[in-house]
Amino acid sequence: MKAIVYILISSILLLGVPVKSGAESVLPQENPSFKDVKVRKVKGRFTVTGQARVSSGSFYYLVEDGHRVLLPETLIEVNKEAPAWTGFSIILPELKSRNGKLFLNLYERDEGDGKIIHSYLVVLP
């Protein structure tokens, strides 16, 4: 019984962890606004690419280390609005974290009340 519980918990935890392939990560999360998100690290800088289906033709991102925001909220405009998927690419500057982990949060803001919706969290490798 303990083995089954351990396997279930491990499987659940692994769903949010990037699948690494060399210097590139493919993230398996499902989200109504973001898909096929890939992260590559080249010479200390991260390049994030993927597909966005966003209602206002734009979305936001920020980078944090779990304790502090390293890159503040930044607006990204894309070529198409939902229901069409459109490609995007973000090149992040070199970032240093005190605890070694960095998190990129992609999200939309509700047009009515401005609340964050469809958040897509990416652990940067």
Side-chain angles (χ1 to χ4, degrees):
M1 182 66 173
K2 286 183 183 180
I4 293 172
V5 171
Y6 179 77
I7 291 170
L8 286 174
I9 291 172
S10 297
S11 298
I12 291 169
L13 291 174
L14 287 174
L15 288 176
V17 175
V19 177
K20 292 186 180 180
S21 168
E24 186 175 292
S25 296
V26 178
L27 307 168
Q29 304 171 354
E30 287 189 32
N31 185 290
S33 298
F34 304 100
K35 71 177 185 177
D36 301 331
V37 177
K38 296 178 184 176
V39 178
R40 292 189 56 208
K41 185 175 184 181
V42 178
K43 296 183 182 178
R45 297 179 70 170
F46 294 101
T47 300
V48 181
T49 58
Q51 297 284 312
R53 180 172 61 188
V54 290
S55 58
S56 64
S58 62
F59 66 92
Y60 299 88
Y61 74 88
L62 62 81
V63 177
E64 62 176 298
D65 67 2
H67 301 287
R68 60 192 171 110
V69 174
L70 302 174
L71 281 179
E73 180 176 270
T74 303
L75 177 69
I76 296 289
E77 294 187 16
V78 293
N79 296 330
K80 299 176 185 168
E81 294 182 6
W85 288 98
T86 187
F88 70 87
S89 180
I90 303 168
I91 299 173
L92 302 173
E94 279 193 52
L95 300 165
K96 302 266 186 208
S97 171
R98 290 184 190 160
N99 68 6
K101 293 212 180 217
L102 295 172
F103 305 95
L104 171 70
N105 190 7
L106 305 171
Y107 55 92
E108 290 185 84
R109 287 205 175 266
D110 184 272
E111 292 180 14
D113 60 12
K115 289 184 180 178
I116 291 175
I117 57 173
H118 306 143
S119 181
Y120 187 94
L121 186 65
V122 178
V123 179
L124 298 174

